[in-house]
Amino acid sequence: MNNSIRIAIDGPAGAGKSTVAKQVADRLSYIYIDTGAMYRAVTLKAIQEGLDLHDGPALKRMLDETVIELVKHEEGQAVILDGKDVSEEIRTYEVTNNVSFVARLAEVRLDLVRRQQLLAEKGGVVMDGRDIGTHVLPNAELKVFLIASADERARRRYEENNRKGFETNLEQLKQEILLRDKRDSERAVAPLKKADDAIELDTTSMTIQDVVTRILELAGERAD
Ligand code: CDP
Ligand code: CDP
């Protein structure tokens, strides 16, 4: 297969983006870029530094001194923030529930989108997020928008937490997911939105394997 296509995968929380994107990238020997992890890393650092999460210029100054690296390893991807592995820390409750405030700041988006575009420059990339098809890679050869019902997305997160040994409440998880979706969809800058030329896949009743297979088929058609 032509090794240079760019695959953009967007959608709301728990739709399966990162799981599926990782597997598609492995199957194609492409690079996987988790842009949500970058927004999470910025949020973590801003919290640690005690910054006001609504202060764009302050976060911009912080970003000027920040190095974020995504490093592939056996179990997926490690997120390295200023030389330290923060892969676990960026998934905490505090980061998850604050990230959509940081992600709506124009200063933060401008900086991270530029970094993401540089990472994708050579093609052969699967990138997942909220605005990949609309803003980061508007010319991506394949754009996929994954959706699933809110109940199913909450159930997936609940099961995932159980597997990790965290006790959570299914209804509370659903409400938090809906709140984050609302903030992500209603923000002024680069909201969560399906690109006009994206293919929407409702994964509510699809297994991970079904979704991966479908995206690989679509990628094959684009790369021919
Ligand atoms: O994995 P999950 O869907 O829960 O979230 P994520 O992909 O890790 O993204 C975390 C948050 O970062 C999202 O809720 C958005 O607020 C923000 N984000 C964004 O604004 N744009 C992106 N391209 C990726 C994530
Ligand atoms: O990245 P995003 O927030 O869109 O979702 P994810 O973190 O990839 O997936 C959330 C959870 O749903 C993971 O535990 C996946 O294993 C699971 N999942 C699933 O059960 N069925 C799918 N079709 C996709 C994901």
Side-chain angles (χ1 to χ4, degrees):
M1 186 185 285
N2 173 335
N3 217 30
S4 66
I5 82 164
R6 291 154 300 170
I7 304 178
I9 303 184
D10 290 299
K17 301 178 298 297
S18 52
T19 309
V20 164
K22 226 175 282 168
Q23 294 193 19
V24 169
D26 277 349
R27 292 282 294 274
L28 297 174
S29 299
Y30 278 15
I31 303 168
Y32 164 55
I33 300 166
D34 178 354
T35 63
M38 298 171 80
Y39 286 93
R40 286 173 180 272
V42 174
T43 306
L44 174 68
K45 184 166 175 179
I47 292 172
Q48 286 173 340
E49 299 208 341
L51 298 181
D52 173 357
L53 302 185
H54 303 273
D55 185 344
L59 265 81
K60 170 70 187 125
R61 284 192 295 278
M62 182 195 88
L63 272 166
D64 288 343
E65 309 291 319
T66 301
V67 181
I68 303 168
E69 294 158 285
L70 302 176
V71 180
K72 190 173 159 45
H73 69 95
E74 276 164 35
E75 286 145 43
Q77 194 162 70
V79 183
I80 314 293
L81 174 65
D82 298 327
K84 181 175 173 243
D85 187 339
V86 294
S87 311
E88 301 279 321
E89 271 177 281
I90 61 167
R91 306 282 160 199
T92 59
Y93 188 78
E94 194 181 14
V95 172
T96 300
N97 287 324
N98 282 299
V99 60
S100 52
F101 294 119
V102 168
R104 72 177 174 206
L105 300 173
E107 292 88 343
V108 171
R109 302 206 72 84
L110 200 67
D111 182 294
L112 291 188
V113 166
R114 200 175 305 127
R115 295 183 198 218
Q116 291 154 9
Q117 287 171 336
L118 280 174
L119 290 170
E121 219 172 27
K122 295 200 177 81
V125 68
V126 184
M127 190 179 278
D128 84 312
R130 300 292 187 289
D131 62 336
I132 311 307
T134 51
H135 286 87
V136 183
L137 304 175
N139 299 319
E141 287 77 5
L142 174 60
K143 299 180 185 177
V144 180
F145 196 79
L146 295 184
I147 57 164
S149 71
D151 282 323
E152 171 63 12
R153 292 187 288 122
R155 191 197 62 78
R156 290 176 183 174
R157 273 288 142 84
Y158 180 76
E159 302 271 320
E160 186 180 332
N161 288 339
N162 271 352
R163 283 199 298 275
K164 290 180 183 164
F166 305 140
E167 236 180 78
T168 37
N169 175 298
L170 184 59
E171 186 52 34
Q172 191 186 338
L173 266 180
K174 183 178 161 190
Q175 294 312 321
E176 284 164 5
I177 282 180
L178 288 174
L179 184 64
R180 192 145 57 92
D181 287 352
K182 184 168 153 51
R183 288 192 203 128
D184 289 343
S185 310
E186 292 180 354
R187 68 177 175 228
V189 197
L192 166 65
K193 186 175 167 290
K194 176 184 163 303
D196 291 338
D197 53 350
I199 292 165
E200 182 169 289
L201 289 183
D202 184 343
T203 72
T204 306
S205 317
M206 290 173 86
T207 65
I208 294 168
Q209 199 45 55
D210 290 339
V211 184
V212 171
T213 303
R214 182 69 193 123
I215 296 178
L216 287 171
E217 279 169 12
L218 292 166
E221 290 165 16
R222 299 300 189 284
D224 285 342

